[in-house]
Amino acid sequence: MKIHFLGIGGIGMSAQAIHEHFSGNVVTGTDPYSSERVNYLKSLGIQVFKSHLPENIDNADLIVRTPAVSEDNVELKKAKENGIPVISRLEHHISILRPYTKIGVTGTDGKTTTTAMLAHVLLKLGKDPTVFLGSTHPMLEHGNYRKGSNIAVFEMDESQPGFENYNPDYLIITNIRGDHIENFKNLQHYNSCFENSCKNVKICVSNVENNIINNSIKFGLNDGDYKINKIENNKFSQKITINTPYGKKKFILNVPGVHNALNALSIISLLFEMGYEKDLVLEAFSDFSLPKRRFDISYNENDIVIIDDYSHTPVEIKSLLSTAKSVFKDKKITIIFQPHRYSRLKREWKNFSEALSLADKIYITEVYGAFESKNGISARLIVEKINNAIFVQEKEELLQILPSEPGVYIFAGAGDIIEISKKFKEKVGGLKV
């Protein structure tokens, strides 16, 4: 079977393309944006076209499209004219997962870290999961994908209606915070998709702070069937005491942040309820490392620390800065934030202002639109409410105005701010990636 992917370089699309490649199908794709994932696909022998052209889909049996591809795309139009089936990335993902025992992870924040953490624990327990990850991680043979056996661990992207159709056997819902609400009829519709995603699941684990998922095992910071009793911080690691239905337990988590402690607790809740050996589950967290761009310390020399992070919602930014302040107590924290999507900024700009205020110095770039139109919205909105913030229209200007002085510099956002981070590392003393 020949499968052609429109937008093949995306983190989710590339993982699915790799899966099809190793399942014996002929895989091609088009993506005008050069990226590490595109280069990796090419290294596997997958043909990736730089420009969208009708002839790219010659002899294709199936087209998989990303939501970012417009209806007037020439490849999409030719596929429809020639009667070639076209399905969405979501539909394709659901279809290739059907043969597996499925363990899904969904929620507004923390999906990728929780998925990586869950895969890590299962591997430590001697299992052989197939993994689809929304980032890259060195434990996975192909970065964002691992070909395993009959268990699949994967993220359920909650940004579009339809994620409730995955029908996993087991499910973790990290939290429900109303992001991407513009893609749903209203908040009730958004919440109902989460509720429906949990209906036919053998075991569903959800965050007690939301409390809208019936018939689920609850975990939380101060309440729930599983809850955190005490956290002892040791810079980059945490000694965590939890209360469970099976008594008080302790474990070491080798990454910082209360949000990561909760991510780990969600996994413990699920695996305990699934019947895994409890002591082995707890031991597995001690050598876990975060995925790429999740509190990723990419430079640490001459008293300058550079962190790359994917955080792009107000809650994520608040957790990121709180963690940085707890780890680097004696250092000045500077955040360079690139907002992601105009719709999110319009809805959340006041919350962004509040969250970003935790930093000592703040630089805000213009929005990474992710194919959305501006509609008169600008990241200047955030700056107007923060005294110690500077708005930078063109992100390249940051390289001229950022000081090269001791401190912690956090480059945050889901767009291309990582490119400025790389150049800043070159400026302060050598690229470390």
Side-chain angles (χ1 to χ4, degrees), residues 176-179 181 184-193 212:
I176 304 171
R177 306 198 196 279
D179 197 26
I181 199 71
F184 297 78
K185 296 176 185 175
N186 47 42
L187 182 60
Q188 183 180 357
H189 179 214
Y190 180 81
N191 288 341
S192 70
C193 288
I212 66 170

Side-chain angles (χ1 to χ4, degrees), residues 298-302 304-306 308 396 398-400 402-404 409 411 417-433:
S298 56
Y299 184 92
N300 188 0
E301 292 183 18
N302 303 320
I304 293 176
V305 177
I306 299 175
D308 298 313
E396 287 74 15
L398 287 162
L399 297 169
Q400 279 71 55
L402 277 174
S404 301
Y409 297 82
F411 290 81
I417 193 65
I418 185 71
E419 300 306 319
I420 302 302
S421 172
K422 291 176 181 177
K423 292 176 182 177
F424 185 62
K425 284 189 277 286
E426 291 178 343
K427 177 183 174 181
V428 299
L431 188 61
K432 308 289 182 184
V433 293

Side-chain angles (χ1 to χ4, degrees), residues 141-155:
E141 181 182 358
H142 302 289
N144 59 344
Y145 174 76
R146 178 186 190 274
K147 185 171 178 59
S149 53
N150 61 338
I151 300 174
V153 175
F154 62 98
E155 296 180 44

